[in-house]
Amino acid sequence: MKAQELPLRKCVACNCMKPKNELFRVVRLPEGIQLDPSYKGQGRGAYVCRNLECIALAQKKKSFNRALKCAVSDDVLNSLYMELENGSR
Ligand SMILES: [Zn+2]
């Protein structure tokens, strides 16, 4: 697959369009909001760049609350920070 054929998604913090493999997906499930590492979770999703700045900005601006139309707890944001740490090689 060529790079430009990857579907683009918008970061909720900086509003950049990026291939989804450069973004984290957060999904709203009946049981709550969670990180969706598979990008396949059913439900409303929101994306953020895989970098500290965008996650912190999304947290500050409460961008996920707006994108997912419900309150997103700091637990979710903490899981993004952790994923970023674990995933950075
Ligand atoms: Zn971003």
Side-chain angles (χ1 to χ4, degrees), residues 26-36 44 64 68-73 75-77 79:
V26 175
V27 65
R28 177 179 163 185
L29 299 173
E31 58 267 36
I33 310 283
Q34 58 189 57
L35 181 64
D36 178 18
R44 179 180 279 272
F64 283 116
L68 298 171
K69 301 194 192 307
C70 67
V72 177
S73 75
D75 289 352
V76 175
L77 287 145
S79 72

Side-chain angles (χ1 to χ4, degrees), residues 13-24:
C14 65
N15 292 320
C16 287
M17 299 294 291
K18 295 201 173 182
K20 66 180 186 179
N21 63 353
E22 292 178 23
L23 303 160
F24 287 127

Side-chain angles (χ1 to χ4, degrees), residues 11-16 18 23 47-51 53-55:
C11 168
V12 295
C14 65
N15 292 320
C16 287
K18 295 201 173 182
L23 303 160
Y47 296 82
V48 68
C49 300
R50 288 175 180 263
N51 65 54
E53 291 75 20
C54 281
I55 298 170

